[in-house]
Amino acid sequence: MTTSPKPVATPLAPPRRVRIEQKLNLRGGPAVGFARIGRLEPGDTLMVDRVIDGEAYLGRRAWYGVEGREHYFWSGAAQFEDAATPVPAAPAGAVAPDVRRRGNGTILPLSQAELAGTFGAFQSTPGAQRGSIVITPAAWVTQHIAPFSHPVLAALGHPAVSLHRLAHPHFQAVFDRIDALGLGSLIQTFDGGWVPRHKNWDPGNPDLSSHSWGVAIDLNARWNGAGHPPASPGQQGDLTPLVPLFAAQGFAWGGHFSSNVDGMHFELARRNP
């Protein structure tokens, strides 16, 4: 039997139902060298309670753990049945992010006052583009905004993107996890980081977008447009497998917004970054 260091697992809370799309082996560990326990057939469904950084197979390292059992299967031929992605529980020994949650456990974004109090207050004047703003004083930008780099984003043609300095470690942790699990291919486009502007580019809206603080990014915008349902699980542009990974670092997902759903959008919602 394969022997290796204990794999890193991201718990899912609550567990999620997965549908099998092609024949898979159910194994005693997250690698093809572990003993086969059973066989999964297309159309089978089962509950999983963790995502494991296991052996890479066809370029993908993510394996799912069956709820309450030491049974595992590769994620590449399975899809979550539900479109809503729950927040994962904090790993043993980890400190859960200080966030506000809805009744269903999903993470709420920070309010305007919380954004200013956590990431720095600033003044603004209207920008040249409708709905954009110019942050004043300019020293705020120098102090708080800095280039962020990661191979996952570089592969998309973005070797550096501007984000808030306090957000860098959390984006780093998320993209490291995405890369380790071989899920980077799910991100097809990077569509925005620090962009000082009003919400929805509406100058009549007194609220500013969280992009103004450099704590939000947009991904796969073509398939997850603001005001439209996010890409369904398994469809092109689907980001739902990444939502638990972002949530584990304290990011709210726009696909959970109750109004003006925004499936491309992830924003840091920690009150203690």
Side-chain angles (χ1 to χ4, degrees):
M1 184 178 71
T2 298
T3 58
S4 60
K6 187 175 181 179
V8 177
T10 299
L12 297 175
R16 296 187 60 186
R17 185 174 298 279
V18 168
R19 177 178 294 276
I20 305 303
E21 297 193 329
Q22 65 185 53
K23 290 183 178 182
L24 285 174
N25 289 319
L26 190 64
R27 297 190 178 275
V32 296
F34 281 90
R36 190 175 79 175
I37 295 171
R39 185 77 166 172
L40 301 175
E41 299 291 335
D44 288 350
T45 62
L46 63 167
M47 300 298 291
V48 299
D49 61 8
R50 58 205 182 280
V51 182
I52 301 94
D53 181 6
E55 179 184 38
Y57 181 68
L58 297 180
R60 189 165 183 164
R61 299 183 63 92
W63 290 61
Y64 295 137
V66 178
E67 182 183 13
R69 295 175 177 270
E70 292 300 317
H71 296 173
Y72 303 86
F73 58 94
W74 181 62
S75 68
Q79 294 292 340
F80 291 124
E81 282 202 323
D82 54 322
T85 307
V87 175
V95 178
D98 180 13
V99 296
R100 293 184 298 116
R101 299 183 186 274
R102 301 177 181 85
N104 63 2
T106 58
I107 297 176
L108 283 163
L110 296 177
S111 68
Q112 296 280 289
E114 288 173 321
L115 283 166
T118 303
F119 298 105
F122 54 77
Q123 301 297 316
S124 66
T125 58
Q129 182 178 352
R130 186 178 186 276
S132 68
I133 62 170
V134 176
I135 291 176
T136 58
W140 186 95
V141 177
T142 303
Q143 179 182 356
H144 295 289
I145 304 299
F148 171 80
S149 300
H150 197 279
V152 170
L153 297 179
L156 299 172
H158 295 273
V161 298
S162 295
L163 295 169
H164 198 289
R165 295 178 190 274
L166 291 179
H168 282 203
H170 307 294
F171 280 110
Q172 183 75 42
V174 170
F175 283 109
D176 282 352
R177 192 84 170 102
I178 290 170
D179 196 25
L181 292 172
L183 299 177
S185 61
L186 296 179
I187 304 175
Q188 299 184 44
T189 60
F190 175 84
D191 302 290
W194 175 60
V195 182
R197 61 178 176 84
H198 290 270
K199 281 189 175 181
N200 304 318
W201 294 94
D202 178 5
N205 189 334
D207 287 344
L208 300 180
S209 167
S210 54
H211 285 279
S212 302
W213 280 270
V215 298
I217 61 172
D218 292 334
L219 305 172
N220 292 4
R222 177 181 175 184
W223 304 276
N224 297 277
H228 299 279
S232 299
Q235 300 301 307
Q236 187 173 11
D238 172 29
L239 293 169
T240 56
L242 306 186
V243 175
L245 307 183
F246 274 96
Q249 286 296 320
F251 285 84
W253 180 43
H256 290 147
F257 290 175
S258 58
S259 61
N260 197 35
V261 64
D262 194 6
M264 73 178 90
H265 182 87
F266 295 90
E267 66 176 87
L268 190 60
R270 285 174 172 260
R271 294 177 288 190
N272 60 343

